């Protein structure tokens, strides 16, 4: 299925002043209740990465899980979950970070990736990049390299994608909301 930016953007709903005043929340849940939209998004990533030499797919709690699980299944790659504090059992490594609204902490299970692994990292949206930088730190602390960061939405005004690229992390997003 050919990717149609206009169609995907028509599915994404903007909720003003949620979860805090001043935030324009970009809600991707309608993509998941629209079979055509979900297929379009999944196919776009599958076409991009089908011949890539990625060894693992990692994804960030919780909306990042939704797309990444489909891509890992289709590309037959191991899926690594990076979760919010206190959700993963066993030995974990933690990284705290700042959000567009508040502070949080991410964790990964020790030994889930290793030196030489080439990771494709998924999240739903790139805002300031704080979440992705924390996830990247966790993966790199285990010796892995980041092949690319993939998101559905980029908010370029918040500079996260630019900061990632300046740190030599390739970034791919399906659509962007600029100047809104
Ligand atoms: P950041 O760390 O600032 O790049 O924020 C990215 C994370 O926060 C993503 O996991 C998003 O789910 C969430 N997020 C931040 N800003 C928004 C927004 N305006 N709309 C929807 N989700 C957001």
């Amino acid at each position: 299925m050919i990717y149609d930016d206009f169609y995907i953007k028509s599915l994404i709903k903007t909720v003003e002043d949620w979860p805090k005043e001043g935030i324009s929340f970009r809600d991707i849940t309608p993509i998941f209740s629209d079979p055509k939209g979900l297929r379009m998004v999944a196919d776009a990533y599958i076409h991009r990465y089908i011949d890539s030499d990625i060894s693992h797919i990692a994804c960030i709690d919780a909306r990042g899980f939704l797309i990444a699980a489909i891509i890992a299944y289709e590309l037959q790659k191991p899926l690594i979950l990076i979760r919010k504090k206190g959700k993963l059992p066993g030995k974990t490594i933690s990284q705290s970070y700042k959000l567009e609204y508040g502070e949080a902490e991410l964790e990964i299970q020790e030994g889930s990736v290793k030196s030489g692994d080439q990771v494709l990292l998924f999240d739903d949206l790139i805002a300031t990049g704080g979440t992705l930088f924390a996830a990247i730190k966790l993966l790199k602390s285990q010796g892995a390299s980041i092949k690319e960061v993939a998101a559905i939405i980029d908010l370029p005004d918040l500079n996260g994608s630019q900061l990632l690229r300046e740190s030599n992390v390739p970034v791919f997003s399906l659509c962007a909301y600029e100047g809104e």
Side-chain angles (χ1 to χ4, degrees):
M1 189 179 286
I2 293 169
Y3 179 75
D4 177 349
D5 184 74
F6 184 79
Y7 184 73
I8 294 304
K9 274 191 158 176
S10 77
L11 295 175
I12 296 165
K13 296 285 171 263
T14 300
V15 183
E16 297 298 345
D17 298 321
W18 196 88
K20 261 188 169 179
E21 219 179 299
I23 303 289
S24 298
F25 190 84
R26 310 292 179 177
D27 181 19
I28 57 159
T29 53
I31 295 175
F32 293 91
S33 55
D34 184 278
K36 179 177 151 185
L38 181 57
R39 180 167 289 274
M40 207 178 262
V41 166
D43 284 0
Y45 291 123
I46 291 160
H47 289 159
R48 182 171 177 85
Y49 299 114
I50 187 116
D51 287 328
S52 161
D53 58 356
I54 53 172
S55 62
H56 292 67
I57 292 178
C59 51
I60 302 176
D61 201 345
R63 289 180 292 268
F65 294 173
L66 296 167
I67 281 290
I70 299 170
I71 311 306
Y73 174 80
E74 289 288 345
L75 300 183
Q76 299 190 56
K77 302 293 179 195
L79 183 67
I80 309 301
L81 303 188
I82 297 172
R83 299 215 60 183
K84 286 168 188 152
K85 189 180 167 64
K87 299 282 185 186
L88 287 170
K91 275 198 171 175
T92 56
I93 306 157
S94 306
Q95 182 67 52
S96 56
Y97 64 104
K98 277 191 183 156
L99 278 173
E100 190 184 353
Y101 38 84
E103 276 215 5
E105 203 166 331
L106 288 178
E107 291 182 340
I108 192 171
Q109 278 170 324
E110 219 177 83
S112 50
V113 286
K114 61 181 187 320
S115 177
D117 289 346
Q118 298 281 334
V119 179
L120 168 64
L121 174 60
F122 269 96
D123 203 2
D124 63 326
L125 178 145
I126 308 169
T128 66
T131 308
L132 282 161
F133 273 111
I136 289 167
K137 267 192 197 163
L138 288 173
L139 291 163
K140 284 191 167 171
S141 76
Q142 301 285 283
S145 303
I146 311 303
K147 190 80 184 166
E148 187 153 272
V149 159
I152 297 175
I153 302 171
D154 184 22
L155 304 181
D157 297 350
L158 294 170
N159 270 340
S161 52
Q162 191 187 328
L163 290 171
L164 286 160
R165 290 189 180 104
E166 284 169 4
S167 315
N168 293 320
V169 177
V171 178
F172 175 70
S173 63
L174 291 180
C175 64
Y177 288 86
E178 217 162 336
E180 290 176 49

